[in-house]
Amino acid sequence: MIDKKKRQQIIALMKREVVPAIGCTEPMAVSLCVAKATETLGCTPSKIEALLSANILKNAMGVGIPGTHMVGLPIAVALGALVGKSAYGLEVLRNTSDADVKRGKKYVEENRIHIGLKSDSCEKLYIEVTASDDAGHSATAIIARHHTHFVSVTKDGEVILNQPLKPHNCDVNPSEDDSECELSLKQVWDFATGAPLKELDFIKEARRLNENASRESLKGNYGHALGKTLSRPLGKGIMGDSIFSHILSATSSACDARMAGAPIPVMSNSGSGNQGISCTMPVVVFAEENHNTEEELTRALVLSHLTAIYIKQSLGKLSGLCGCVVASTGSACAITYLMGGGYKQVAYSVKNMIANLAGMVCDGAKPACALKVTSGVSTAVLSALLAIQNRHATSAEGLIEEDVDKCIHNLTRIGASGMNETDRMVLDIMTHKHQP
């Protein structure tokens, strides 16, 4: 049983990590940092320098920027300076008009922006923006460790904000700064299934936003249109017209729109819109078609999102491990619960997920993420199907141990530390490949 104080801590944690976002969170975090530097400077900058960690660069290179029909960081930086409002957080560009986009394109063409790699920072999530004017004034804003967490703001050398992070080993992701709310899978289960229902109402907004994004995606041809392809006669002819195919289509549709830069808000999880979508849409579709009650759906959504947050506490916001592994593990837990499973079966579903998807490489945010999301979600359904029959990967297999929390930490150890060299190689390939 979770006491009231612990429940309040968990709710506060979830409200920090489950927030609306428009567009891919990495370029939006860069826009946010640019907006803060510009506001601090007090005028439109004549020059902007953005120094970014490798993981931010990797995840911002190939995604569409909402409302622009353009891909990549330069337009995100320009719009952050011209129209961004830091008070909007990851919705920093939500008021962008067509006229603003034209101004942004002109700003980019004038070569006012320099984007480089921050090579001397241990942080996998690091954004440093310096905005300067023609009179010699400058302002610098730094975001680190969390997509919206400003650790430093200065103007002309004067410190306005200084919140230094605790140092850590460069080869290991730091644990998230939520030590007052350390979790285990059993605590996640107890909270999701036992907290008063009225305390969980906030999670319904995740359903509303992500369901809307999935529907809106079908009105266009976003990204690789995987969701639309699955819902067409050809897709149904191959995949069938089933709960399974509906889950895949609805989830990938929302991802298609987000990665292509559609100006449609989604509910993110742990700084990722795709993770928020993957924690939400499989659960919503399964509950609707399985005729679960509203209460069961609400608790399942909390279970899904909080499981992902728990795993991210030891993995870190960005890593070499694809985030769909984490989010789909949350969905597997929730679907198992909606099938009638208890904690034991939910733990089995986690083991099944880790046995299958551990090691899936993150090669940056891009339209093809819809394929990876669909791979993760399909595995979630299979994992739940096995778990509800008490079938699961055992401690004789790979990363799996009897203790499910040890299984999770084996996964996050691989993602946070073991895949560092892989992560560096992926970035090297991405930045040196021939562009047509």
Side-chain angles (χ1 to χ4, degrees):
M1 192 71 179
I2 303 290
D3 62 36
K4 185 175 181 180
K5 181 180 178 182
K6 184 71 171 184
R7 292 203 315 269
Q8 291 173 339
Q9 291 174 343
I10 293 174
I11 290 168
L13 171 62
M14 291 194 71
K15 288 184 176 180
R16 285 197 302 273
E17 299 293 357
V18 182
V19 296
I22 297 177
C24 179
T25 44
E26 275 70 54
M28 289 305 99
V30 175
S31 288
L32 173 62
C33 200
V34 172
K36 175 66 81 172
T38 300
E39 291 163 0
T40 305
L41 182 64
C43 64
T44 300
S46 57
K47 295 285 184 182
I48 299 173
E49 180 180 44
L51 298 177
L52 312 173
S53 63
N55 288 79
I56 290 289
L57 279 172
K58 182 180 74 173
N59 282 340
M61 290 168 59
V63 290
I65 306 304
T68 68
H69 303 290
M70 297 176 70
V71 170
L73 279 168
I75 190 65
V77 170
L79 291 175
L82 296 174
V83 299
K85 288 182 171 57
S86 64
Y88 292 164
L90 293 177
E91 295 181 285
V92 57
L93 301 184
R94 73 183 184 195
N95 291 335
T96 302
S97 67
D98 290 342
D100 295 327
V101 175
K102 289 181 180 178
R103 290 169 57 212
K105 289 179 180 178
K106 184 172 184 294
Y107 195 93
V108 172
E109 291 166 358
E110 291 171 345
N111 294 318
R112 298 176 180 272
I113 300 168
H114 174 262
I115 298 169
L117 176 67
K118 182 71 173 180
S119 57
D120 58 348
S121 173
C122 285
E123 298 297 333
K124 294 191 176 184
L125 195 165
Y126 184 92
I127 305 164
E128 179 182 321
V129 173
T130 299
S132 55
D133 63 20
D134 290 330
H137 299 290
S138 67
T140 299
I142 298 174
I143 287 175
R145 208 166 290 182
H146 300 259
H147 289 81
T148 59
H149 181 53
F150 287 95
V151 297
S152 175
V153 178
T154 61
K155 181 177 181 181
D156 293 333
E158 179 185 350
V159 177
I160 297 171
L161 172 71
N162 184 33
Q163 294 183 343
L165 296 169
K166 295 177 181 178
H168 64 91
N169 186 331
C170 285
D171 290 326
V172 180
N173 265 355
S175 59
E176 299 303 313
D177 295 330
D178 294 307
S179 56
E180 81 284 0
C181 196
E182 294 179 354
L183 295 170
S184 66
L185 188 66
K186 183 61 163 59
Q187 287 179 323
V188 169
W189 167 264
D190 287 345
F191 174 80
T193 59
L197 190 61
K198 63 181 180 181
E199 294 182 4
L200 308 179
D201 276 351
F202 67 90
I203 203 66
K204 293 179 180 179
E205 184 67 0
R207 174 189 182 181
R208 187 187 72 81
L209 285 180
N210 293 341
E211 224 175 4
N212 180 66
S214 182
R215 284 193 300 265
E216 289 296 312
S217 178
L218 296 178
K219 298 177 182 179
N221 290 310
Y222 296 106
H224 300 304
L226 177 60
K228 181 177 278 191
T229 299
L230 290 171
S231 65
R232 283 174 168 163
L234 176 61
K236 289 181 178 179
I238 295 171
M239 300 294 293
D241 191 4
S242 63
I243 296 177
F244 182 60
S245 65
H246 297 168
I247 286 172
L248 300 186
S249 176
T251 307
S252 56
S253 290
C255 182
D256 284 330
R258 179 176 175 269
M259 290 289 92
I264 304 169
V266 302
M267 189 65 82
S268 67
N269 181 296
S270 303
S272 168
N274 282 347
Q275 287 170 203
I277 290 166
S278 298
C279 284
T280 304
M281 291 311 301
V283 183
V284 169
V285 174
F286 185 87
E288 288 175 347
E289 301 206 20
N290 196 48
H291 303 296
N292 289 101
T293 66
E294 279 296 308
E295 177 176 347
E296 288 169 337
L297 173 55
T298 298
R299 294 190 182 281
L301 285 171
V302 171
L303 177 60
S304 182
H305 278 272
L306 189 56
T307 297
I309 291 168
Y310 163 47
I311 297 172
K312 280 284 188 170
Q313 283 185 324
S314 55
L315 179 63
K317 289 290 187 294
L318 297 176
S319 73
L321 179 71
C322 178
C324 82
V325 175
V326 176
S328 298
T329 300
S331 288
C333 294
I335 292 171
T336 304
Y337 163 74
L338 291 171
M339 288 177 173
Y343 173 71
K344 181 172 72 171
Q345 287 75 33
V346 163
Y348 290 165
S349 72
V350 171
K351 293 181 179 182
N352 291 338
M353 289 294 294
I354 293 172
N356 190 348
L357 290 181
M360 182 184 284
V361 173
C362 170
D363 57 340
K366 60 203 177 301
C369 283
L371 289 162
K372 290 194 173 186
V373 163
T374 304
S375 295
V377 170
S378 63
T379 301
V381 176
L382 296 176
S383 295
L385 276 172
L386 284 177
I388 201 67
Q389 299 176 78
N390 293 314
R391 297 183 180 275
H392 62 92
T394 70
S395 59
E397 303 173 64
L399 303 179
I400 307 307
E401 301 197 35
E402 286 298 323
D403 185 327
V404 68
D405 293 295
K406 288 183 179 179
C407 295
I408 288 170
H409 287 101
N410 288 344
L411 173 71
T412 59
R413 183 180 168 196
I414 294 288
S417 304
M419 296 179 72
N420 281 343
E421 184 57 38
T422 299
D423 208 22
R424 284 188 283 269
M425 184 172 290
V426 167
L427 182 67
D428 182 69
I429 291 169
M430 290 176 64
T431 54
H432 290 91
K433 65 183 179 182
H434 174 70
Q435 296 292 342

